[in-house]
Structure formats: C-alpha cells, structure tokens
C-alpha cells in the first residue's frame, strides 16, 4: 500500500466506530481523576501566574515561564469554572484529545489501519497522557505542530482552489498560537523551513523545466507570482496579528511585542550554554524505550524503510517528511543543553505517526511472510504493546508522584506533601481561615505556596532567619536545614510535621534492572528537599 500517495483510502463503518471509541477513551483517560495528584512544582509556578492574572489582571512576559497563551486561556477557564487543579489542567487534557482528532484529516497518508494505530498510540501513550494531565505548555506546542502539518498537507491538496486560503489561515493561526505558548516554536519554525525551502525549490525547477519546452517559463512565473505573494502575505499577517495580540496583552503593552523574541532567544541561549538541567545527548532515547517501546521500535524500522523507498522511488513524500521531522527533532533536542522530560513529546509526535503507518502496512503482510517471521513480529508487537499499556496505566494512575519515574523528573512525595497540605489547611480553619497569619521562612517554598496558598491573605515571607524574627503565627514553615534556628525563635507551643516539597533520584547504571523497569523499585530512599511545618 502506498500510504504516501493513496488519497482514496476507504474508511468503513468499523473504522469510524473504532475511531470514535478511541476518542472517548482518550477523553475519559485524560479527565478521570484529573486533580488527584498534587500540583508538580512547575505546575504550581504556572498556576500562580495564571491566578495572578485571573485575580488582578497582572501579566508580564517572562521567558522562564514561557508565553502568554496558557495564562490567558486558563484565566478565562477560571472565570467560567473557578480556579482549581482540575480546571487548570482542563485545557491540556482537551488538547490531548484534540491531537487524536487531528489524525483523521491525514488518514489517507497513513493508510488503513495505520491511521487508527497512530490514533491509538496518541490516545494511550504514557508520555502524551501524562503531559495531557499536566499544567504546562508542551502539549499545546505538539498540538499546534501537528495542526500546522495537517494544514500544509491540505493546502497542497487544494492546488489553485480558493479553499487553500482556509488552510493558510488555520496553519498560520496554529503557528502563531504556538509561538505565544512556548519559545521552542522558533526551533520548530527553523526545522520546518528547511524542507519547505527544498520543496519550493524543487517545484520551481520542475516547473521551469517543464515549461521551457513551450518557451513560456517567464509567463508561468508571472502567472503564479501573485498567488505566491498573496498566500505568503496572508500567512504572515495572520501570524503577526496573533503574536501581537497575545504578547501585547491585547494592546496594553505594545512594546512587549518586539522585546519578547529577543528575551526568548537570550534566555534560552543562556540555558543552553550553562546547561542548568543537563544530560547526555542520548537522554531521550532511554525515555522512549522505557515509556514508548512499540513506538520506538517500529518508528526506527519504519524510518529506514520509508527513507529507502523515497530515495529509490521518490514515493511516499509525506512519510519521508515525517521521518525527517523525527530525526531533526531528535537531533535538535539532543543538542540543546537543557534536558527535561517533557521535551520528549516533540520527537515522539512524528515517531507515533511513522510507527503507526508502518505497523499498518506490516500487519496485513505478515500472513504472506514465512511462519517464523510472522511469529516473531506478533510476539514483539504483543510484548511491547503490553509493556506500553502497563507503563501508561502505572505512570498516570498509580505512580503519578513517584520520584523514581524519570518522566516526572522531580515530584512532590505524594503522601508527605498531601499530609502537609491537609494539616496546613485544617490548622487554618481552626484559626481565622484564609485570614490566618502564616509565616514562611523558606523562600524556595514560594513556588508551591503561590498556588496552594493563593486564597490566603495574611502571609509573611521571611528571606532569612538570621534577622531574628519573632515566630509566633499559628502556621510556620521552615526549611529543614533551618529547623534548629527556627525552634529557638518559636514563641509558644507548637506541633511539628516533617515533610518535603520535592524528591528525586540521581540514577546509576546499576539501578536499571527488571524490578526498576517494571515497578520502579529502587534500593535506596530518594533525595528530598525537606520542609518543616510548625502549627498550633
């Protein structure tokens, strides 16, 4: 089956029923117990800025916490549904469902049942499911990236039809919104520009060659120049309007529009240079193998086959592009100095498309292969998919705050942090509720507290205990390293609760065994950033 050129793939009723079921499953998995786990410290930071915008309309772009898209849209959700962990994560969850929906417009390029396999991978992927239930930006970027690719495909299908303008508008809007969501959109634009430039050059050369025989190459260029200029102009205008609207805070700060790209490039160059969160170039490969095993295996094999077909026959251009997109993303994020687990989504997206299409071609052909080949591939598929599903369930519904999960990076120890927050709020209710006086002497707790304590009105922040403040509030929070100093400053009788705001592991090669791979069991306790709660 030539999945790259077959635009008439038959979609029967069974396919539609399976696809609808996948959409329902994706929706349920993303909304079920969406607020069960406490906010990750990164979610707390984003949540605090969103609440600040929602509460008093205050927003200023900061590249450390990325673009305005997530803040504006979530603040509007807060206006409609209230502010909570569930409502904050609602847009990422629905965006994750939207990615499954975007497979349908490109189904002809993936073939049958390849498009359904790709949709299933997106619906059930441990990584995509986890970050669809996570209040950060990267799920939006991958959605907009896929939307841009869909619009490019549909634009090329339209030829000179006026309908092509619809896809120019939608594609430009998607890219513009992506640029307002996170700065790695500039990486995406750079990677996208290379194949687009080659494609345009190839089309021009072919057209000139074809029309030179008729001695009207110049006329051909003049005839198409207006369309090229108009299409490019529309694309640029839509992009700039969206970029300006968001970064100017809807024309409240026009100067921020020109400052934003400069600040973004400056900040992320510094992060790359200092390697704030570093890692080896192969950082994302073990993650893909651990969480996305069938996608990884069949994306690798499928990439080799699609490249060979393209080089030999110049067929299946769409899949050749997706292979390029996979390799380019893997190379770019392997090179960048900042290695964080949520960036896995960017190479994973094209890997899912390639793996789905290749498996869709492979499965119907197995019955024509030698028996041992059929048994081998079926065994690999069953085992890898079983591990994939088990990992997805474990990560998202049982080990969702386990610091041994590398996809989480650093988590709140679930029971400790839950007990901390429960005791905190119960103590406040026994005193003056949201007006209860709170003294926080640990400045690094601000990230969590700016969200979890967003409704409290009487918080005193102490940067240093060396100033000998009087610690006499009903609720006092200190860093565990300062506990001895704090106890000498306490005025009155307090109960003490030892907790932690963050936990993590520094991994060793010896950690990787079957117990870790299956159950994330470690032979030592995690490292923690401890905090102490003193309460009356």
């Amino acid at each position: 089956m030539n999945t790259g050129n077959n635009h008439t793939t038959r979609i029967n009723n069974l396919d539609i029923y399976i696809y609808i079921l996948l959409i329902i499953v994706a929706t349920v998995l993303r909304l079920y117990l969406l607020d069960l786990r406490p906010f990750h410290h990164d979610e707390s930071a984003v949540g605090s800025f969103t609440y600040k915008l929602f509460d008093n309309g205050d927003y200023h772009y900061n590249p450390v916490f990325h673009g305005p898209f997530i803040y504006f849209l979530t603040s509007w959700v807060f206006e409609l549904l209230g502010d909570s962990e569930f409502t904050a994560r609602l847009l990422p969850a629905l965006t994750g469902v939207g990615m499954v929906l975007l497979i349908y417009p490109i189904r002809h390029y993936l073939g049958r049942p390849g498009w359904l396999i790709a949709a299933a991978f997106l619906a059930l992927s441990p990584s995509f499911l986890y970050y669809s239930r996570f209040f950060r930006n990267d799920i939006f970027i991958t959605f907009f990236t896929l939307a841009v690719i869909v619009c490019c495909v549909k634009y090329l299908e339209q030829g000179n039809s006026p309908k092509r303008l619809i896809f120019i508008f939608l594609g430009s809007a998607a890219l513009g919104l992506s640029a307002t969501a996170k700065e790695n959109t500039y990486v995406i634009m750079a990677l996208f520009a290379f194949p687009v430039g080659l494609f345009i050059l190839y089309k021009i050369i072919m057209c000139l060659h074809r029309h030179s025989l008729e001695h009207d190459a110049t006329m051909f260029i003049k005839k198409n120049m207006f369309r090229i200029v108009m299409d490019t102009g529309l694309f640029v205008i839509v992009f700039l309007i969206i970029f300006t609207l968001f970064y100017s805070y809807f024309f409240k700060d026009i100067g921020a529009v020109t400052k934003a790209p400069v600040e973004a490039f400056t900040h992320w160059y510094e992060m790359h240079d200092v390697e704030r969160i570093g890692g080896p170039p192969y950082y994302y490969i073990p993650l893909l193998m651990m969480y996305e095993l069938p996608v990884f295996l069949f994306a690798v094999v499928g990439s080799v086959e699609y490249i060979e077909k393209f080089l030999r026959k110049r067929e299946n251009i769409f899949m050749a592009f997706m292979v390029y997109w996979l390799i380019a993303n893997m190379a770019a994020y392997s090179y960048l100095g900042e290695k964080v687990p949520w960036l896995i989504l960017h190479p994973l997206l094209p890997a899912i498309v390639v793996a789905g299409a290749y498996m869709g071609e492979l499965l119907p052909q197995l019955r024509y292969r030698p028996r041992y080949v059929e048994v081998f591939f079926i065994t690999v598929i069953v085992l890898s998919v079983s591990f994939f599903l088990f990992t997805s369930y474990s990560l998202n519904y049982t080990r969702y705050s386990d610091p041994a999960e590398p996809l989480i990076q650093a988590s709140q120890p679930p029971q400790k942090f839950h007990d901390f927050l429960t005791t905190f709020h119960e103590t406040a209710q026994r005193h003056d509720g949201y007006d209860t006086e709170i003294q926080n002497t640990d400045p690094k707790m601000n990230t969590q507290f700016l969200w979890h304590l967003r409704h409290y009105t009487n918080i005193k922040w102490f940067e240093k205990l060396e100033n000998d403040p009087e610690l006499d509030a009903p609720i006092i929070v200190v860093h565990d390293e300062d506990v001895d100093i704090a106890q000498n400053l306490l005025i009155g009788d307090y109960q003490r609760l030892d907790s932690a705001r963050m936990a993590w592991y520094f991994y060793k090669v010896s950690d990787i065994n079957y117990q870790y791979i299956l159950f994330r069991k470690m032979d030592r306790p995690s490292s923690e950033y401890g905090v102490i709660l003193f309460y009356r």
Side-chain angles (χ1 to χ4, degrees):
M1 179 183 295
N2 188 347
T3 57
N5 300 314
N6 182 5
H7 296 273
T8 59
T9 301
R10 295 178 64 87
I11 307 296
N12 59 35
N13 288 337
L14 179 60
D15 293 341
I16 296 300
Y17 296 149
I18 293 173
Y19 185 55
I20 292 173
L21 178 62
L22 288 173
I23 294 170
I24 294 172
V25 168
T27 305
V28 171
L29 290 177
R30 282 153 177 77
L31 297 181
Y32 176 68
L33 298 177
L34 186 57
D35 55 353
L36 176 63
R37 66 177 163 80
F39 257 20
H40 187 277
H41 61 278
D42 285 326
E43 291 182 286
S44 296
V46 176
S48 67
F49 288 112
T50 306
Y51 183 76
K52 191 176 181 180
L53 174 62
F54 160 70
D55 187 46
N56 57 32
D58 186 18
Y59 174 78
H60 299 283
Y61 170 64
N62 183 344
V64 177
F65 299 103
H66 311 306
F69 176 86
I70 194 171
Y71 302 108
F72 290 139
L73 266 70
T74 307
S75 68
W76 296 335
V77 173
F78 286 174
E79 291 278 359
L80 294 172
L81 303 174
D83 56 292
S84 67
E85 279 84 354
F86 183 91
T87 55
R89 290 172 175 152
L90 184 59
L91 282 178
L94 296 179
T95 301
V97 177
M99 297 200 67
V100 181
L101 294 173
L102 284 176
I103 290 295
Y104 188 80
I106 55 174
R107 62 193 181 280
H108 304 303
Y109 296 89
L110 277 64
R112 179 177 178 267
W115 73 282
L116 290 173
I117 296 173
F121 278 147
L122 280 173
L124 304 171
S125 160
S127 306
F128 271 107
L129 181 54
Y130 182 80
Y131 288 115
S132 295
R133 297 166 57 86
F134 192 82
F135 188 42
R136 270 191 66 92
N137 313 68
D138 287 272
I139 190 65
F140 298 116
I141 304 299
T142 50
F143 173 83
F144 291 132
T145 299
L146 186 55
V148 170
I149 291 172
V150 169
C151 289
C152 286
V153 169
K154 294 300 177 182
Y155 169 80
L156 293 173
E157 288 178 3
Q158 297 302 317
N160 293 328
S161 170
K163 291 182 180 179
R164 75 185 191 282
L165 300 177
I166 297 173
F167 298 106
I168 291 175
F169 177 87
L170 294 176
S172 179
L175 191 63
L177 290 171
S178 182
T180 68
K182 195 177 178 184
E183 298 77 9
N184 58 333
T185 298
Y186 300 124
V187 175
I188 295 168
M189 292 167 69
L191 297 179
F192 199 71
F194 176 71
V196 169
L198 286 181
F199 178 79
I200 292 173
L201 181 62
Y202 169 79
K203 295 294 285 186
I204 290 174
I205 292 173
M206 289 298 100
C207 290
L208 288 174
H209 175 72
R210 186 167 59 249
H211 286 77
S212 64
L213 298 178
E214 305 170 11
H215 305 287
D216 62 354
T218 304
M219 186 61 68
F220 174 84
I221 294 175
K222 289 181 178 179
K223 181 180 178 181
N224 288 273
M225 185 59 69
F226 175 76
R227 179 170 66 87
I228 294 170
V229 171
M230 182 177 68
D231 292 359
T232 304
L234 176 61
F235 187 91
V236 171
I237 289 170
V238 172
F239 178 90
L240 290 178
I241 288 173
I242 291 174
F243 190 89
T244 301
L245 279 173
F246 277 84
Y247 277 105
S248 70
Y249 193 171
F250 300 97
F251 302 116
K252 293 181 181 179
D253 183 9
I254 294 295
V257 177
T258 55
K259 293 178 183 178
V262 176
E263 292 177 356
F265 279 106
T266 301
H267 171 76
W268 288 106
Y269 178 78
E270 291 174 355
M271 293 301 99
H272 166 71
D273 194 42
V274 302
E275 296 190 7
R276 179 189 59 164
I277 306 176
Y282 56 81
Y283 174 85
Y284 297 103
I285 294 177
L287 288 181
L288 288 170
M289 295 177 68
M290 185 174 294
Y291 289 103
E292 313 285 343
L293 186 57
V295 175
F296 175 81
L297 293 175
F298 289 99
V300 170
V301 178
S303 294
V304 173
E305 183 162 323
Y306 288 132
I307 290 174
E308 187 273 334
K309 284 183 178 179
F310 178 73
L311 294 177
R312 184 165 49 89
K313 301 180 181 179
R314 294 294 188 270
E315 65 178 23
N316 222 334
I317 296 176
F318 177 79
M319 294 311 304
F321 170 77
M322 295 310 298
V323 172
Y324 158 79
W325 197 248
L326 167 58
I327 295 172
N329 273 273
M330 185 62 74
Y333 290 106
S334 296
Y335 168 74
L336 292 175
E338 185 108 338
K339 300 293 193 302
V340 285
W342 41 83
L343 293 179
I344 194 178
L345 297 185
H346 304 288
L348 177 58
L349 173 59
I352 283 177
V353 175
V354 172
Y358 180 70
M359 289 181 69
E361 294 182 11
L362 177 66
L363 287 172
Q365 296 173 1
L366 285 179
R367 56 183 173 179
Y368 304 113
R369 302 285 182 90
R371 180 65 176 172
Y372 70 90
V373 174
E374 181 180 7
V375 171
F376 172 77
F377 275 104
I378 293 298
T379 302
V380 170
I381 290 171
V382 170
L383 291 179
S384 63
V385 170
S386 297
F387 179 66
F388 170 85
L389 295 175
F390 170 74
T391 303
S392 188
Y393 170 79
S394 300
L395 169 67
N396 288 287
Y397 304 107
T398 62
R399 298 196 297 251
Y400 48 80
S401 291
D402 187 347
E405 288 283 0
L407 205 68
I408 299 175
Q409 189 191 43
S411 71
Q412 281 71 36
Q415 194 57 48
K416 286 185 178 181
F417 200 68
H418 178 269
D419 292 345
F420 176 92
L421 292 176
T422 299
T423 303
F424 190 105
H425 294 311
E426 288 177 349
T427 302
Q429 290 304 312
R430 291 197 301 269
H431 291 269
D432 298 317
Y434 289 135
D435 295 325
T436 300
E437 183 181 357
I438 299 160
Q439 291 176 319
N440 174 47
T441 71
D442 183 358
K444 292 190 177 180
M445 280 299 291
N446 292 7
T447 300
Q448 273 79 14
F449 276 4
L450 286 172
W451 170 257
H452 291 291
L453 274 62
R454 62 193 182 280
H455 297 143
Y456 288 85
T457 60
N458 192 11
I459 306 174
K460 294 181 171 61
W461 310 91
F462 293 98
E463 291 297 323
K464 294 182 179 180
L465 280 173
E466 287 79 0
N467 297 332
D468 293 334
E470 291 185 349
L471 301 181
D472 57 357
I475 299 174
I476 300 169
V477 179
V478 301
H479 184 14
D480 62 352
E481 293 182 354
D482 299 327
V483 65
D484 292 335
I485 300 174
Q487 284 182 317
N488 293 329
L489 299 173
L490 292 175
I491 300 175
D493 296 327
Y494 285 87
Q495 291 181 285
R496 170 176 168 172
L497 175 65
D498 290 47
S499 186
R501 79 176 188 94
M502 193 183 300
W504 61 88
Y505 282 99
F506 293 105
Y507 293 96
K508 302 179 294 187
V509 174
S510 59
D511 292 329
I512 309 302
N513 53 50
Y514 80 93
Q515 287 193 323
Y516 176 77
I517 291 172
L518 290 176
F519 307 112
R520 303 295 187 263
K521 288 186 177 180
M522 301 291 283
D523 60 1
R524 63 187 185 279
S526 60
S527 301
E528 292 183 345
Y529 185 104
V531 293
I532 309 297
L533 175 66
F534 291 108
Y535 62 100
R536 287 179 175 173

